[in-house]
Amino acid sequence: MRDFDEWHRLGTHWHAYVEVREQGFPSTRAGRLRRTPDRVLCSPRAVAEWLYRMKRVYLPAQPVKLLGSGAGWGVLGDERHLERDLFEDELAASRGDSLYLSFGCEHDRMDLWVEAVTAQDCSELHREQE
């Protein structure tokens, strides 16, 4: 059975980064952690809500073929998809996990990185920023 308060006991918070790239390789965790984060998130709910807001603005809604016989089509980035992700993202963060999302935009690629960090990774004392 998973412990959904594990993040709290571990002293986890999250550093969020937004990167836009036209080509090339994504950044590395070590490289990101050397930078000042775009946001500091202090709870699993804050992680999920930040990702929800970012996806709502930047993730282009597009039809996708679903897997399986007779599965039909769905829409990536529609409200139903975002609501499901809100739940799943909060669940992942409650385990103290990092979350990564990369998607294509019109002329470039957007990477959303939410790095789970503890005192071993981050010696800063962050005030609640959400």
Side-chain angles (χ1 to χ4, degrees):
M1 178 140 214
R2 276 305 252 176
D3 179 1
F4 297 107
D5 289 325
E6 188 171 0
W7 70 275
H8 195 269
R9 270 191 296 290
L10 295 171
T12 302
H13 65 279
W14 294 264
H15 290 185
Y17 304 89
V18 179
E19 295 176 354
V20 177
R21 58 189 164 96
E22 288 185 31
Q23 55 187 347
F25 296 102
S27 64
T28 65
R29 175 180 166 87
R32 287 187 294 277
L33 292 181
R34 285 192 293 271
R35 299 186 348 233
T36 300
D38 296 314
R39 284 296 294 246
V40 174
L41 306 165
C42 297
S43 72
R45 185 65 180 180
V47 167
E49 288 174 348
W50 183 81
L51 285 168
Y52 177 88
R53 286 190 305 272
M54 295 299 292
K55 287 185 266 189
R56 187 165 190 137
V57 171
Y58 297 106
L59 181 63
Q62 57 188 334
V64 292
K65 177 74 171 113
L66 302 174
L67 299 176
S69 177
W73 289 83
V75 179
L76 177 69
D78 69 354
E79 193 59 34
R80 185 173 169 203
H81 174 226
L82 296 178
E83 287 294 326
R84 183 183 110 5
D85 278 2
L86 180 68
F87 172 79
E88 294 293 330
D89 293 344
E90 185 173 7
L91 192 60
S94 73
R95 295 187 300 256
D97 293 344
S98 295
L99 291 100
Y100 308 131
L101 178 65
S102 182
F103 52 88
C105 298
E106 188 173 344
H107 300 290
D108 51 28
R109 185 151 203 87
M110 178 173 278
D111 298 321
L112 302 176
W113 310 96
V114 183
E115 297 290 358
V117 296
T118 64
Q120 293 174 320
D121 305 305
C122 174
S123 60
E124 297 282 325
L125 189 56
H126 297 290
R127 291 187 315 271
E128 190 92 12
Q129 290 190 16
E130 315 73 75

XYZ file of all heavy atoms in Angstrom, residues 45-78:
265
model
N -1.113 19.185 -4.112
C -2.226 19.888 -4.762
C -1.714 21.074 -5.577
O -2.177 21.332 -6.692
C -3.252 20.352 -3.719
C -4.483 20.968 -4.323
C -5.238 19.942 -5.117
N -6.430 20.526 -5.705
C -7.272 19.865 -6.440
N -7.096 18.577 -6.657
N -8.315 20.443 -6.940
N -0.727 21.794 -5.027
C -0.150 22.928 -5.752
C 0.544 22.462 -7.026
O 0.468 23.128 -8.064
C 0.819 23.687 -4.851
N 1.213 21.316 -6.970
C 1.864 20.747 -8.157
C 0.819 20.468 -9.231
O 0.951 20.884 -10.385
C 2.632 19.446 -7.803
C 3.036 18.685 -9.057
C 3.838 19.755 -6.933
N -0.239 19.764 -8.845
C -1.288 19.389 -9.798
C -1.971 20.618 -10.387
O -2.236 20.679 -11.587
C -2.305 18.478 -9.120
N -2.243 21.612 -9.559
C -2.922 22.815 -10.049
C -2.025 23.626 -10.974
O -2.502 24.190 -11.957
C -3.406 23.653 -8.870
C -4.581 23.016 -8.160
C -5.002 23.736 -6.892
O -4.241 24.622 -6.401
O -6.087 23.417 -6.374
N -0.722 23.716 -10.677
C 0.199 24.431 -11.558
C 0.260 23.751 -12.923
O 0.158 24.422 -13.955
C 1.584 24.521 -10.926
C 2.550 25.308 -11.754
C 2.672 26.668 -11.806
C 3.541 24.791 -12.645
N 3.664 27.024 -12.681
C 4.219 25.898 -13.212
C 3.927 23.511 -13.031
C 5.249 25.751 -14.132
C 4.950 23.371 -13.950
C 5.603 24.474 -14.492
N 0.400 22.427 -12.941
C 0.427 21.702 -14.210
C -0.893 21.868 -14.960
O -0.905 22.053 -16.182
C 0.740 20.224 -13.983
C 2.190 19.908 -13.660
C 2.335 18.467 -13.177
C 3.080 20.166 -14.869
N -1.994 21.811 -14.255
C -3.315 21.997 -14.867
C -3.390 23.349 -15.566
O -3.811 23.443 -16.724
C -4.399 21.873 -13.795
C -5.797 22.125 -14.290
C -6.560 21.091 -14.818
C -6.354 23.397 -14.222
C -7.848 21.314 -15.274
C -7.639 23.629 -14.679
C -8.384 22.590 -15.195
O -9.654 22.815 -15.651
N -2.985 24.412 -14.858
C -3.036 25.759 -15.448
C -2.124 25.868 -16.669
O -2.508 26.447 -17.687
C -2.650 26.813 -14.409
C -3.731 27.074 -13.376
C -3.421 28.278 -12.509
N -2.131 28.208 -11.845
C -1.905 27.639 -10.669
N -2.901 27.062 -10.019
N -0.709 27.653 -10.129
N -0.923 25.315 -16.582
C 0.016 25.388 -17.695
C -0.519 24.621 -18.906
O -0.457 25.106 -20.031
C 1.388 24.853 -17.274
C 2.077 25.694 -16.207
S 2.403 27.389 -16.726
C 3.645 27.121 -17.968
N -1.045 23.432 -18.669
C -1.589 22.641 -19.774
C -2.813 23.314 -20.381
O -2.995 23.306 -21.597
C -1.939 21.228 -19.298
C -0.718 20.369 -19.043
C -1.102 18.961 -18.694
C -1.190 18.778 -17.212
N -1.360 17.365 -16.819
N -3.615 23.908 -19.547
C -4.829 24.568 -20.043
C -4.484 25.707 -21.005
O -5.176 25.945 -21.985
C -5.638 25.079 -18.877
C -6.936 25.613 -19.299
C -7.865 25.781 -18.135
N -9.133 26.078 -18.747
C -10.254 25.567 -18.375
N -10.287 24.734 -17.394
N -11.361 25.891 -18.984
N -3.399 26.408 -20.715
C -2.986 27.529 -21.555
C -2.199 27.068 -22.779
O -2.429 27.547 -23.889
C -2.153 28.541 -20.737
C -1.524 29.591 -21.630
C -3.003 29.179 -19.657
N -1.266 26.122 -22.596
C -0.294 25.832 -23.644
C -0.484 24.515 -24.394
O 0.033 24.368 -25.490
C 1.129 25.866 -23.066
C 1.491 27.221 -22.552
C 1.556 27.470 -21.195
C 1.760 28.265 -23.432
C 1.885 28.729 -20.722
C 2.087 29.525 -22.967
C 2.146 29.751 -21.604
O 2.465 30.991 -21.142
N -1.172 23.562 -23.820
C -1.329 22.270 -24.488
C -2.411 22.382 -25.557
O -3.571 22.638 -25.253
C -1.716 21.182 -23.480
C -1.882 19.769 -24.029
C -0.561 19.248 -24.587
C -2.392 18.841 -22.936
N -2.032 22.215 -26.809
C -3.044 22.333 -27.865
C -3.981 21.117 -27.847
O -3.532 19.976 -27.820
C -2.210 22.372 -29.155
C -0.911 21.723 -28.809
C -0.699 21.930 -27.336
N -5.274 21.373 -27.821
C -6.242 20.272 -27.882
C -6.167 19.662 -29.276
O -6.199 20.374 -30.276
C -7.646 20.780 -27.590
N -6.009 18.340 -29.320
C -5.901 17.678 -30.618
C -6.461 16.265 -30.539
O -6.340 15.600 -29.515
C -4.451 17.650 -31.090
C -3.497 16.989 -30.124
C -2.043 17.156 -30.540
O -1.758 17.325 -31.706
N -1.149 17.098 -29.587
N -7.086 15.823 -31.606
C -7.635 14.465 -31.617
C -6.515 13.427 -31.644
O -5.463 13.647 -32.241
C -8.457 14.415 -32.898
C -7.954 15.524 -33.745
C -7.340 16.541 -32.850
N -6.752 12.318 -30.942
C -5.794 11.206 -30.927
C -6.563 9.903 -31.108
O -7.686 9.758 -30.640
C -4.969 11.152 -29.617
C -4.025 12.324 -29.514
C -5.867 11.075 -28.401
N -5.942 8.966 -31.787
C -6.529 7.633 -31.963
C -6.276 6.839 -30.692
O -5.145 6.724 -30.229
C -5.876 6.935 -33.173
C -6.370 5.521 -33.393
C -7.782 5.524 -33.969
C -8.193 4.140 -34.382
N -9.257 3.607 -33.580
N -7.332 6.316 -30.104
C -7.210 5.520 -28.892
C -6.816 4.097 -29.244
O -7.141 3.599 -30.318
C -8.526 5.545 -28.119
C -9.018 6.938 -27.711
C -10.399 6.846 -27.078
C -8.036 7.615 -26.773
N -6.112 3.458 -28.335
C -5.657 2.090 -28.555
C -6.769 1.096 -28.263
O -7.620 1.329 -27.415
C -4.449 1.788 -27.665
C -3.219 2.659 -27.905
C -2.139 2.320 -26.893
C -2.702 2.473 -29.315
N -6.741 -0.015 -28.948
C -7.701 -1.081 -28.699
C -8.720 -1.192 -29.824
O -8.998 -0.234 -30.545
N -9.256 -2.360 -29.929
C -10.232 -2.628 -30.975
C -11.494 -1.804 -30.743
O -12.113 -1.871 -29.685
C -10.570 -4.124 -30.964
O -11.558 -4.400 -31.904
N -11.849 -1.011 -31.735
C -13.070 -0.211 -31.644
C -13.013 0.917 -30.636
O -14.048 1.425 -30.219
N -11.802 1.320 -30.210
C -11.673 2.340 -29.175
C -12.046 3.732 -29.678
O -12.421 4.589 -28.899
C -10.257 2.351 -28.614
N -11.895 3.981 -30.948
C -12.283 5.275 -31.498
C -11.249 6.364 -31.282
O -10.055 6.102 -31.237
N -11.758 7.571 -31.111
C -10.903 8.748 -30.982
C -11.174 9.467 -29.675
O -12.262 9.411 -29.134
C -11.170 9.711 -32.148
C -10.643 9.195 -33.445
C -11.252 8.310 -34.284
C -9.397 9.494 -34.032
N -10.459 8.040 -35.363
C -9.303 8.779 -35.239
C -8.328 10.306 -33.680
C -8.195 8.847 -36.073
C -7.231 10.392 -34.521
C -7.168 9.659 -35.699
N -10.154 10.165 -29.173
C -10.279 11.008 -27.997
C -9.646 12.355 -28.313
O -9.168 12.572 -29.420
N -9.643 13.230 -27.322
C -9.032 14.546 -27.516
C -8.016 14.780 -26.404
O -8.360 14.780 -25.224
C -10.087 15.673 -27.518
C -9.415 17.032 -27.690
C -11.104 15.441 -28.619
N -6.771 14.943 -26.820
C -5.697 15.276 -25.897
C -5.802 16.754 -25.577
O -5.900 17.584 -26.486
C -4.344 14.977 -26.556
C -3.094 15.322 -25.766
C -2.966 14.384 -24.579
C -1.872 15.206 -26.651
N -5.813 17.104 -24.308
C -5.863 18.503 -23.923
C -7.256 19.070 -23.745
O -7.395 20.261 -23.492
N -8.292 18.237 -23.829
C -9.632 18.756 -23.569
C -9.893 18.750 -22.054
O -9.080 18.290 -21.265
C -10.705 17.981 -24.338
C -10.904 16.553 -23.847
O -10.144 16.085 -22.964
O -11.815 15.877 -24.368
